[in-house]
């Protein structure tokens, strides 16, 4: 290769490396990334190296200050920590001090300070080891950030009773709180019509909450399928309407119309609370969880973060004794992964350690000394549904008691409406140590007995489940033959790349043959781009085989063999708005195959809107399909779809004789609409119905900008609404927001400024808002525009004037705010609304005393820079 060409290639590679290094610069305050003093350049060989740094305490800037690097240590002005930490007045370079903080006791030693040019300085090591203050450095902007994880405690005093908060916005008392409508309609060729409509409404009346649901075929008569009135107090709950008995699964569940009640000697709310509206007649949430304390050791002054299945539920600062404790943690019977993430300084850095605390307890268990009583009475079935047969009245009663945190007893009775007999059940739930749980139930129904036993275990790398059920010959009403069934599942992960499974099953019913199997399975991660698995599909020995291949970063291929059908699924994300999917089906026994190709598009990058076009090819011919779906707002969603012969693309049959007739659908058009509305005190807002129920409420509203001539709406699609300082699962579309699934109480509502334009700030820092169960509270959040003025104060020769007060005066002559110039003569004032102002400084000039120097400016819709003030030389 010629030398000039080689030189060009070397230069290009060098330039590319430089650009890559600039693009991969460090994040804004990376962990402990102080400059390496040992790698300082030769020109800084003096003992004391001066550095001009901007200093931050958490998010507050303390300005630009002189700092020093001496040998291998960095030194910072001690006076800043006295002001911003803040340290107690007893801490100085002359005397030591011992003071109590929220994380423990600090013993300040003045020997860690060093006097430089008459000023006390403290080192990085002194901050870390003596004061437990974290130091983060940003090389790109040459700034230092100090994180003070504690605050000083004053003398211990009796804890004051917090004053009762008065809400700025009270929850409304609406007879009608929400409306829900869901409709489906389709038309097919040959002539076939189908229509379905569901309507639901609810609100508050007579000290409780009511809700009704009606549904049915549009061609027939609609049915009032559910109706309830529910009232709740501290220890008791009462419901009138449709319901079902909620005994252990050994007893048959009885639907009825009547009354049901529940009482708990501690608190009834955890027994009935559901974080989502289930649209069912379930009243009690009997999958109650024991409470545990999770504790351990972490970095002093760091952060412990509790997660359930990677969902953050709590955080706390770690005291100086390094011990963290999360009390009263509700741990489900289902094997949720429960972890604590430990951070040295900030949650924005990588965790220094992740500790797994996953364990479980049986469902329906109660805490030590807790008692739950519930019962019901009424007529079987839905008395308002004409097509329902009523067999008489039914009733039930149940009693649960926690003998200890690990042992719960349960007993229940139920009257069966068909035979007028009394069914019964008695059982116990036992937690055996931290990893094993079991339950044993016995029941009798229709004169026959039954037994149910389950055992559940969970460890860091294994999971075991076993259940045995035996029914006597006369047990129940559906069958007169005895039955026994045993199921076992063992999952072990010996290595991070290997997950093994063993599934065992045995059943016998009446005189039928036994069904028994012991089937292995597992998943192997062969590489970062390839995994294969084989798992039992049922107790008969059928398997499901899968292979997942990551071909490219945006392309995945999945091969699956299940139910004698081989499926190839290829998905490719073209960009953020477009993707394609190809599905190929084949049955090796018959040779039938089909191909589907689909293209997905999100117009304008809006993931609430999607267009899909599809083509298919099979032995039945070519099919075409298309659909359009749109989330108009939080509560309004519509789907329009067209299909022509597409249903044959996946209709493959194992036996050649099992082919569809000639009456299958050739062409169909369908439409679906869902519309949820919530009523505040003034108007209807779009909401998500499933996030409102008889134990949960919601907030809704909009953001508006204050203008001189009135209010202007602002789209909140990119803004975050904070509830008690945290961002919850909010839904926001079309300029309104909705936050549901909130327990009754008072909440602090504010706007997160992170995604707002820099000139917009909240008119009020926060508002206290009341939320009631089953209700919607409206919140109107106001924003205002604020700008700023910046410039330099210097003499005619350019000499800056330092630490000089600067005043901002409005047109009425009133001082709006003040500031001061920094060490380079610059000033900056923010928080100014649009209007005319005067920037003013006052200086002594000769014998005439103080002289004012001013410069007028006018703020319209932008920040002003370069508003400099030049004064005579004699004003230095």
């Amino acid at each position: 290769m010629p030398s000039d060409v080689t030189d060009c290639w070397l230069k290009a590679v060098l330039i590319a490396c430089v650009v890559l290094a600039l693009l991969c610069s460090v994040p804004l305050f990376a962990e402990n990334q102080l400059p390496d003093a040992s790698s300082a350049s030769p020109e800084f060989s003096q003992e004391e190296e001066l550095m001009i740094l901007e200093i931050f305490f958490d998010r507050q800037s303390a300005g630009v200050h002189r700092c020093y690097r001496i040998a291998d240590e960095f030194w910072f002005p001690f006076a800043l920590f006295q002001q911003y930490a803040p340290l107690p007045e007893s801490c100085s370079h002359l005397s030591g001090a011992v003071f109590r903080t929220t994380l423990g006791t600090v013993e300040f030693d003045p020997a860690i300070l060093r006097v430089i040019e008459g000023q006390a300085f403290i080192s990085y090591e002194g901050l870390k080891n003596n004061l437990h203050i974290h130091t983060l450095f940003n090389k790109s902007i040459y700034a230092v950030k100090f994180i003070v994880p504690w605050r000083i405690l004053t003398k211990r005093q009796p804890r004051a009773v917090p004053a009762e908060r008065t809400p700025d916005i009270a929850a409304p008392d609406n007879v009608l709180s929400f409306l829900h409508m869901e409709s489906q309609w389709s038309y097919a060729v040959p002539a076939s019509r189908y229509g379905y409509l569901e309507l639901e409404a609810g609100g508050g009346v007579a000290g409780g909450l009511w809700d009704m649901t009606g549904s049915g075929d549009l061609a027939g008569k609609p049915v009032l399928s559910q109706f309830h009135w529910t009232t709740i107090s501290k220890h008791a709950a009462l419901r009138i309407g449709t319901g079902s008995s909620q005994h252990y699964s050994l007893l048959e569940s009885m639907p009825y119309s009547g009354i049901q009640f529940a009482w708990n000697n501690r608190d009834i709310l955890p027994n009935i609370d559901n974080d989502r509206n289930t649209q069912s007649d379930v009243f009690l949430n009997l999958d109650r969880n024991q409470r545990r304390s999770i504790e351990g050791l972490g970095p002093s002054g760091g952060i412990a973060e509790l997660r359930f299945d990677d969902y953050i539920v709590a955080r706390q600062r770690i005291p100086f004794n390094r011990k963290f404790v999360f009390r009263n943690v509700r741990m489900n019977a289902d094997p949720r992964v429960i972890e604590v993430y430990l951070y040295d300084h900030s949650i924005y850095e990588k965790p220094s350690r992740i500790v797994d605390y996953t364990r479980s307890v049986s469902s329906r268990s109660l805490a030590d000394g807790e008692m739950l009583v519930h019962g019901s009475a009424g007529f079987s079935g839905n008395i308002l549904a004409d097509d329902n047969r009523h067999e008489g009245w039914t009733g039930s009663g149940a009693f649960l008691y926690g003998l200890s945190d690990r042992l719960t007893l349960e007993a229940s009775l139920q009257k069966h409406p068909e035979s007028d007999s009394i069914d019964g059940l008695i059982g116990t739930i036992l937690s055996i140590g931290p990893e094993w749980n079991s339950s044993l139930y016995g029941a009798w129904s229709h004169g026959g007995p039954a037994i149910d036993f389950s055992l559940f275990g969970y460890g860091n790398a294994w999971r075991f489940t076993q259940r045995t059920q035996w029914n006597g010959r006369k047990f129940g009403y559906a069958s007169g033959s005895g039955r026994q069934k045993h199921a076992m599942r063992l999952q072990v992960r010996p290595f991070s790349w290997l997950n093994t499974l063993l599934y065992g099953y045995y059943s016998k019913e009446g005189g039928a043959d036994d069904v028994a199997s012991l089937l292995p399975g597992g998943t192997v991660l062969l590489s970062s781009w390839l995994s294969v698995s084989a798992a039992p599909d049922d107790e008969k020995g059928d398997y499901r085989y899968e292979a997942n291949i990551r071909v490219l970063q945006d392309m995945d291929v999945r091969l699956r063999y299940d139910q004698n059908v081989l499926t190839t699924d290829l998905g490719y994300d073209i960009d953020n708005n477009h993707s394609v999917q190809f599905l190929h089906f084949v049955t090796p026994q018959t040779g039938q195959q089909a191909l589907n190709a689909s293209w997905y598009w999100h117009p304008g990058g809006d993931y609430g809107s999607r267009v899909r076009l599809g083509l298919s090819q099979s032995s039945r011919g070519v099919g075409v399909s298309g659909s359009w779906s749109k989330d108009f707002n939080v509560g309004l969603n519509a789907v329009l779809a067209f299909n022509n012969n597409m249903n044959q693309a996946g209709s493959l049959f194992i036996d050649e004789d099992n082919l569809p007739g000639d009456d299958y659908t050739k062409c169909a058009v369908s439409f679906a609409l869902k519309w949820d509305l919530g009523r505040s005190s003034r108007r209807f807002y779009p909401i998500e119905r499933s996030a409102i129920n008889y134990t949960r409420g919601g907030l809704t509203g909009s953001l508006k900008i204050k203008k001189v001539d009135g209010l202007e709406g602002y789209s909140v699609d990119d803004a975050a609404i904070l509830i008690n300082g945290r961002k919850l699962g909010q839904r926001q579309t079309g300029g309104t927001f909705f936050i549901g699934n909130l327990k009754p109480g008072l909440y602090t509502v504010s706007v997160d400024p992170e995604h707002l334009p820099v000139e917009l700030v909240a008119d009020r820092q926060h508002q206290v808002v009341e939320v009631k169960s089953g209700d919607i509270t409206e919140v109107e959040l106001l924003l205002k525009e604020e700008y700023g003025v910046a410039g330099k104060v210097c003499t005619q020769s350019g000499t800056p004037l330092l630490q000089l007060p600067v005043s901002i005066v409005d047109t009425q002559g009133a001082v709006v705010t003040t500031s001061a110039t920094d060490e380079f003569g610059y000033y900056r004032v923010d928080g100014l609304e649009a209007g005319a102002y005067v920037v003013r400084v006052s200086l002594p000039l000769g014998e005439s005393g103080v002289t004012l120097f001013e410069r007028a400016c006018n703020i319209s819709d932008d920040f002003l820079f370069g508003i400099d003030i030049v004064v005579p030389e004699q004003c230095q």
Side-chain angles (χ1 to χ4, degrees):
M1 183 180 293
S3 59
D4 54 346
V5 176
T6 303
D7 292 341
C8 291
W9 274 103
L10 291 175
K11 291 178 181 179
V13 171
L14 180 60
I15 293 173
C17 292
V18 172
V19 172
L20 182 61
L22 292 175
L23 293 176
C24 299
S25 59
V26 298
L28 187 64
F29 296 113
E31 174 189 353
N32 290 342
Q33 290 188 352
L34 288 167
D36 186 2
S38 62
S39 62
S41 54
E43 62 267 28
F44 296 111
S45 59
Q46 65 268 27
E47 182 182 359
E48 298 179 357
E49 177 188 341
L50 174 65
M51 299 186 300
I52 305 298
L53 301 175
E54 184 173 7
I55 292 179
F56 292 82
F57 282 83
D58 292 328
R59 295 185 179 182
Q60 181 183 4
S61 174
V64 178
H65 297 273
R66 290 184 173 91
C67 304
Y68 290 91
R69 179 166 58 181
I70 302 175
D72 293 334
E73 190 58 277
F74 296 86
W75 297 81
F76 309 99
F78 181 65
L80 294 177
F81 299 91
Q82 294 176 303
Q83 177 182 357
Y84 289 96
L87 298 177
E89 297 179 358
S90 57
C91 291
S92 70
H93 66 285
L94 300 176
S95 62
V98 178
F99 56 93
R100 295 175 57 250
T101 74
T102 52
L103 300 183
T105 301
V106 174
E107 298 181 5
F108 172 71
D109 182 6
I112 65 175
L113 302 181
R114 181 168 182 170
V115 178
I116 305 175
E117 296 183 358
Q119 184 179 1
F121 283 76
I122 188 170
S123 66
Y124 164 77
E125 291 296 328
L127 291 171
K128 177 182 178 182
N129 299 326
N130 188 256
L131 296 180
H132 303 278
I133 295 178
H134 308 310
T135 306
L136 307 177
F137 190 83
N138 186 298
K139 296 180 181 179
S140 61
I141 63 173
Y142 234 56
V144 174
K145 179 179 181 180
F146 298 107
I147 299 178
V148 183
W150 44 261
R151 58 182 177 85
I152 296 177
L153 292 178
T154 57
K155 290 184 178 181
R156 284 192 175 183
Q157 298 178 354
R159 179 175 294 181
V161 178
E164 184 176 352
R165 289 197 301 173
T166 302
D168 300 316
I169 302 176
D173 292 319
N174 289 327
V175 176
L176 179 63
S177 296
F178 60 85
L179 292 171
H180 165 80
M181 188 272 286
E182 188 169 344
S183 177
Q184 299 176 12
W185 175 88
S186 66
Y187 178 79
V189 177
S192 174
R193 294 182 178 86
Y194 171 77
Y196 173 82
L197 178 65
E198 178 182 279
L199 296 175
E200 185 182 8
V205 66
L209 299 172
W210 68 271
D211 65 275
M212 292 185 177
T213 302
S215 60
D217 192 333
L218 293 179
K221 184 179 180 180
V223 175
L224 188 62
S225 55
Q226 296 176 16
F227 55 94
H228 313 112
W229 177 83
T230 308
T231 182
I232 303 170
S233 65
K234 170 68 175 177
H235 297 286
L238 175 69
R239 169 177 282 188
I240 299 174
T242 54
S244 62
S245 58
Q246 293 179 249
H247 303 296
Y248 192 72
S249 57
L250 269 179
L251 291 184
E252 182 182 358
S253 179
M254 293 291 152
Y256 62 88
S257 302
I259 185 172
Q260 52 186 321
F261 70 93
W263 176 84
N264 188 299
N265 64 333
R266 301 280 179 83
D267 186 3
I268 193 61
L269 186 60
N271 297 121
I272 63 175
D273 182 40
N274 285 298
D275 58 0
R276 287 286 167 181
N277 179 60
T278 59
Q279 292 187 334
S280 71
D281 282 325
V282 172
F283 180 47
L284 289 177
N285 177 18
L286 287 181
D287 290 334
R288 179 68 186 278
N289 313 307
Q290 281 186 321
R291 291 165 170 81
R292 292 280 190 270
S293 291
I294 292 179
E295 54 188 275
L297 297 178
S300 170
I303 299 174
E305 182 179 77
L306 178 64
R307 296 190 178 195
F308 286 173
D309 284 340
D310 207 32
Y311 177 77
I312 300 170
V313 295
R315 289 194 187 109
Q316 63 176 233
R317 279 286 182 183
I318 303 174
F320 297 150
N321 62 10
R322 299 180 57 230
K323 185 176 182 180
F324 62 86
V325 180
F326 294 97
R327 303 188 186 278
N328 296 325
V329 178
R330 305 180 70 185
M331 305 179 75
N332 278 344
D334 58 337
R336 291 185 299 178
V337 176
I338 301 175
E339 297 172 317
V340 173
Y341 281 54
L342 299 176
Y343 302 90
D344 289 332
H345 311 305
S346 168
I347 60 174
Y348 299 107
E349 65 194 19
K350 289 185 178 180
S352 58
R353 191 158 56 100
I354 300 176
V355 187
D356 190 355
Y357 287 87
T358 302
R359 65 175 74 169
S360 65
V361 294
S362 295
S363 61
R364 310 176 76 89
S365 60
L366 301 181
D368 183 18
E370 185 176 2
M371 182 188 306
L372 174 64
V373 178
H374 69 95
S376 62
F379 289 95
S380 64
N382 185 343
I383 61 175
L384 299 183
D386 294 338
D387 57 347
N388 193 73
R389 185 167 56 92
H390 312 298
E391 294 147 348
W393 73 274
T394 181
S396 67
F399 173 82
L400 290 88
Y401 181 73
L403 288 176
S404 70
D405 282 341
R406 298 190 177 276
L407 180 62
T408 299
L409 298 180
E410 179 177 1
S412 60
L413 295 172
Q414 174 176 274
K415 179 185 178 297
H416 201 284
E418 291 184 10
S419 61
D420 285 336
S421 64
I422 302 297
D423 301 339
L425 176 142
I426 187 170
T428 181
I429 306 104
L430 176 64
S431 178
I432 313 170
E435 296 178 338
W436 290 94
N437 308 280
S438 65
S439 65
L440 177 62
Y441 280 88
W444 64 92
S445 176
H446 204 238
I451 296 176
D452 183 286
F453 172 76
S454 65
L455 180 65
F456 177 83
Y458 187 90
N460 291 333
W462 62 275
R463 183 179 301 167
F464 176 83
T465 304
Q466 189 274 335
R467 186 169 184 181
T468 295
Q469 186 172 340
W470 173 84
N471 296 351
R473 287 190 304 115
K474 296 182 179 181
F475 180 79
Y477 299 86
S479 174
S481 59
R483 182 181 63 180
Q484 57 177 309
K485 179 179 179 181
H486 309 267
M488 181 273 295
R489 186 178 187 273
L490 174 63
Q491 182 179 355
V492 180
R493 184 184 291 271
F495 309 103
S496 60
W497 51 269
L498 177 62
N499 187 15
T500 62
L501 175 68
L502 183 64
Y503 179 77
Y505 182 84
Y506 174 83
S507 69
K508 182 177 179 59
E509 183 168 358
D513 295 336
D514 299 356
V515 177
S517 59
L518 186 63
L519 307 172
T523 301
V524 180
L525 182 63
L526 298 176
S527 69
S528 60
W529 54 272
L530 175 62
S531 66
V532 294
S533 67
D537 205 20
D538 54 36
E539 63 274 7
K540 297 179 181 180
D542 294 330
Y543 270 77
R544 180 181 67 255
Y545 304 92
E546 286 192 11
N548 292 278
I549 308 171
R550 172 62 61 91
V551 181
L552 299 172
Q553 182 177 0
D554 300 318
M555 180 184 293
D556 294 304
V557 177
R558 186 173 71 164
L559 304 176
R560 182 177 68 252
Y561 185 76
D562 186 18
Q563 301 292 328
N564 296 311
V565 176
L566 177 62
T567 304
T568 303
D569 184 351
L570 185 149
Y572 176 58
D573 294 331
I574 301 174
D575 53 34
N576 291 334
N577 302 330
H578 302 82
S579 62
V580 293
Q581 182 185 32
F582 297 93
L583 288 169
H584 180 259
F585 308 88
V586 62
T587 54
Q589 288 86 343
T590 64
Q592 291 190 24
Q593 58 181 316
L595 176 66
N596 279 359
S598 300
W599 171 67
Y600 302 92
W601 172 43
H602 298 280
D606 179 13
Y607 281 83
S609 179
R610 189 178 82 162
V611 175
R612 181 187 64 82
L613 297 178
L615 292 174
S616 72
Q617 171 64 50
S618 70
S619 58
R620 290 295 179 180
V622 177
V624 180
S625 71
S627 67
W628 167 83
S629 64
K630 174 69 175 178
D631 293 331
F632 294 94
N633 51 46
V634 175
L636 181 59
N637 171 268
V639 179
L640 179 64
F642 167 78
N643 292 276
N644 181 27
N645 206 33
M646 280 292 288
N647 62 329
Q648 294 304 306
S651 297
L652 305 181
F653 299 91
I654 308 306
D655 302 321
E656 292 188 7
D657 295 335
N658 188 16
L659 295 177
D662 295 332
D663 58 346
Y664 61 88
T665 300
K666 284 286 188 180
C667 179
V669 177
S670 59
F671 177 75
L673 179 70
K674 182 184 77 69
W675 198 2
D676 293 341
L677 291 174
R679 184 174 180 269
S680 68
S681 56
R682 296 187 297 178
R683 52 168 285 195
F684 281 96
Y685 276 92
I687 67 167
E688 185 180 353
R689 166 67 186 100
S690 62
I692 303 295
N693 58 33
Y694 53 88
T695 61
R696 303 295 179 106
L699 296 173
T700 186
S702 60
L703 268 71
K704 295 186 180 296
I705 302 176
K706 291 176 63 176
K707 295 285 189 178
V708 178
D709 53 352
L711 298 177
E712 176 183 297
Y714 177 74
S715 175
V716 297
D717 292 354
D718 295 325
I721 311 301
L722 303 181
I723 305 297
N724 293 341
R726 298 179 58 190
K727 182 178 179 180
L728 303 182
Q730 67 191 57
R731 294 286 308 277
Q732 46 194 36
T733 309
T736 64
F737 67 87
F738 170 73
I739 303 173
N741 192 32
L742 297 176
K743 293 183 178 180
L746 299 182
Y747 293 87
T748 300
V749 183
S750 58
V751 182
D752 187 356
E754 181 178 355
H755 297 293
L756 291 177
V758 66
E759 71 275 7
L760 288 182
V761 297
D763 186 51
R764 296 180 60 180
Q765 186 175 5
H766 64 263
Q767 297 183 65
V768 179
V769 183
E770 182 185 22
V771 174
K772 290 184 178 180
S773 299
D775 237 327
I776 311 296
T777 305
E778 179 183 1
V779 183
E780 188 176 80
L781 300 173
L782 299 181
L783 305 174
K784 61 181 179 180
E785 296 174 323
E786 289 187 351
Y787 302 96
V789 175
K792 183 178 182 180
V793 181
C794 61
T795 64
Q796 293 173 340
S797 63
T799 302
L801 300 183
L802 314 182
Q803 304 301 321
L804 182 66
V806 178
S807 301
I808 307 297
V809 183
D810 61 16
T811 55
Q812 306 299 321
V815 177
V816 177
T817 185
T818 60
S819 182
T821 58
D822 60 15
E823 296 186 356
F824 304 99
Y826 290 98
Y827 73 92
R828 175 167 177 163
V829 179
D830 293 316
L832 300 176
E833 298 184 26
Y837 297 94
V838 172
V839 182
R840 177 184 296 170
V841 297
S842 58
L843 288 167
L845 183 61
E847 299 178 356
S848 60
V850 177
T851 302
L852 300 178
F853 296 91
E854 301 178 338
R855 180 169 176 181
C857 60
N858 187 66
I859 298 176
S860 57
D861 58 357
D862 204 352
F863 290 82
L864 299 181
F865 298 95
I867 308 300
D868 301 335
I869 296 179
V870 180
V871 302
E873 292 291 335
Q874 55 267 40
C875 291
Q876 291 190 55

